[in-house]
């Protein structure tokens, strides 16, 4: 949504125009818009950082990791790319501005749920580790939790999200509103697949995506369905197969060879 900033009575005249005779344009993001953001999430009660994509903040707060990628992320407003409370707060904010928002637990990672406390036989840990309260454990089914108590051959494990029950606060800067379709799609692929070097070509509503290594067919279908939902202007999306990418590359190389070939004189 674009709005013009005028005087209080909405009248533009020589007295209320800026010195350079131009009105300032304000870009406000709305639901369905794509935005590039930098953020830092803190536990409200302690101020401790639990997540950030800002390198300087990570270093300052003792949260820095050499393995982490600190860069702005591209999200679609209102599509649940971030926690609900932050997603709602982003709507109507001005691109290029920074803001802070407090997010209650129910609009963050939820409240603690008693159903997510499970008793596990201590024999499960026999060959892996010695179970101790406070220890975070990962199970073969993909679940992870924190051991709360160990007693009588049974271990009580809390499978709630680590931040469940916590009120949070976020510091956010909307770097810019993203309007280019290729940039939107690249940002989407980077966010959901971690695809740093994805290639995207869009022509006449059709998008061709190149990613190495190739993405499993099931994941491709889910990604295509999601992308079409948030980018309805894309009527067709295709992940290029390795052999097709190689063929395209060879064809491009052949064109280059033809251009470089010497021209014979008659």
């Amino acid at each position: 949504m674009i709005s013009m900033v005028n005087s209080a009575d909405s009248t533009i005249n020589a007295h209320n125009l800026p010195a350079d005779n131009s009105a300032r344009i304000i870009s406000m993001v709305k639901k369905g818009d794509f935005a590039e953001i930098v953020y830092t999430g803190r536990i409200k009660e302690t101020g401790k950082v639990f997540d950030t994509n800002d390198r300087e903040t990570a270093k300052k707060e003792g949260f820095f990791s050499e393995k982490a990628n600190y860069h702005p992320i591209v999200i679609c407003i209102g599509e649940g790319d971030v926690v609900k409370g932050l997603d709602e707060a982003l709507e109507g904010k001005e691109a290029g501005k920074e803001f802070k928002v407090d997010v209650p637990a129910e609009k963050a990672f939820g409240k603690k749920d008693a159903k997510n406390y499970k008793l596990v036989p201590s024999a499960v840990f026999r060959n892996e580790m010695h179970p101790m309260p406070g220890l975070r454990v990962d199970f073969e089914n993909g679940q992870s939790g924190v051991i709360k108590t160990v007693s009588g051959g049974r271990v009580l494990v809390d499978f709630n999200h680590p931040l469940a029950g916590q009120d949070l606060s976020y510091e956010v800067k909307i770097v810019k509103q993203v309007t280019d379709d290729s940039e939107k799609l690249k940002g989407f692929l980077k966010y959901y697949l971690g695809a740093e070097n994805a290639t995207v070509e869009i022509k006449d509503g059709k998008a061709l995506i190149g990613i190495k290594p190739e993405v499993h067919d099931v994941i491709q279908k889910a990604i295509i369905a999601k992308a079409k939902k948030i980018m309805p202007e894309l009527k067709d999306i295709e992940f290029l197969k390795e052999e097709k990418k190689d063929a395209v590359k060879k064809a491009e190389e052949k064109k280059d060879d033809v251009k470089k070939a010497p021209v014979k004189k008659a």
Side-chain angles (χ1 to χ4, degrees):
M1 179 174 67
I2 304 295
S3 60
M4 300 290 289
V5 177
N6 300 328
S7 62
D9 63 358
S10 300
T11 302
I12 296 180
N13 55 47
H15 298 289
N16 57 37
L17 278 174
D20 62 357
N21 291 329
S22 65
R24 185 165 68 92
I25 303 297
I26 297 178
S27 176
M28 313 290 281
V29 298
K30 62 184 184 300
K31 186 174 182 179
D33 285 343
F34 281 72
E36 184 178 88
I37 68 170
V38 175
Y39 68 91
T40 296
R42 300 177 185 271
I43 297 173
K44 186 179 179 181
E45 185 178 3
T46 63
K48 182 180 179 181
V49 172
F50 66 86
D51 191 18
T52 184
N53 65 344
D54 182 76
R55 178 179 290 270
E56 294 306 313
T57 299
K59 288 181 176 180
K60 181 181 177 182
E61 298 289 337
F63 192 76
F64 184 78
S65 171
E66 291 289 351
K67 296 180 180 179
N69 290 319
Y70 296 99
H71 50 67
I73 58 171
V74 175
I75 64 169
C76 183
I77 309 299
E79 286 296 326
D81 291 341
V82 293
V83 295
K84 185 178 180 181
L86 176 56
D87 209 6
E88 292 176 347
L90 285 166
E91 291 187 47
K93 291 295 189 295
E94 183 180 346
K97 295 289 186 178
E98 297 181 27
F99 69 95
K100 294 182 180 181
V101 59
D102 290 335
V103 179
E106 55 267 27
K107 287 193 174 184
F109 295 95
K111 294 183 177 181
K112 288 276 189 179
D113 188 344
K115 294 178 182 178
N116 291 326
Y117 286 86
K118 306 289 184 181
L119 282 171
V120 179
S122 57
V124 171
F125 305 94
R126 189 169 296 159
N127 299 322
E128 301 293 333
M129 66 182 74
H130 179 66
M132 297 174 59
L135 187 66
R136 175 162 287 281
V137 290
D138 297 319
F139 293 86
E140 291 182 355
N141 63 359
Q143 285 187 303
S144 65
V146 176
I147 295 175
K148 305 302 289 184
T149 62
V150 181
S151 177
R154 295 187 299 178
V155 179
L156 181 64
V157 182
D158 176 8
F159 288 103
N160 283 288
H161 188 281
L163 291 171
Q166 297 277 11
D167 293 334
L168 309 176
S169 64
Y170 284 90
E171 300 149 19
V172 186
K173 178 177 181 180
I174 302 177
V175 179
K176 64 178 182 178
Q177 184 175 339
V178 179
T179 57
D180 178 75
D181 288 343
S182 292
E183 192 176 352
K184 287 180 185 179
L185 189 52
K186 282 184 178 180
F188 170 77
L189 294 169
K190 189 173 184 179
Y191 187 74
Y192 279 91
L193 298 177
E196 297 281 347
N197 300 309
T199 61
V200 170
E201 182 182 338
I202 299 176
K203 185 176 181 181
D204 299 328
K206 180 175 181 177
L208 298 177
I209 300 170
I211 295 179
K212 287 186 178 182
E214 286 189 8
V215 180
H216 191 281
D217 288 348
V218 174
I219 298 176
Q220 285 187 24
K221 289 179 180 179
I223 288 294
I224 289 172
K226 175 75 173 179
K228 283 184 174 181
K229 178 178 181 290
I230 61 177
M231 297 181 67
E233 61 272 24
L234 297 181
K235 305 305 179 185
D236 189 21
I237 302 174
E238 180 184 347
F239 279 82
L240 294 172
K241 298 294 183 182
E242 285 296 331
E243 58 269 20
K244 189 169 183 178
K245 283 188 281 185
D246 289 340
V248 171
K249 185 177 180 182
K250 287 180 180 178
E252 290 176 347
E253 290 175 347
K254 190 173 181 180
K255 287 180 182 178
D256 290 338
D257 290 341
V258 170
K259 290 178 182 178
K260 295 175 183 177
V263 178
K264 293 182 178 179
K265 293 182 179 180

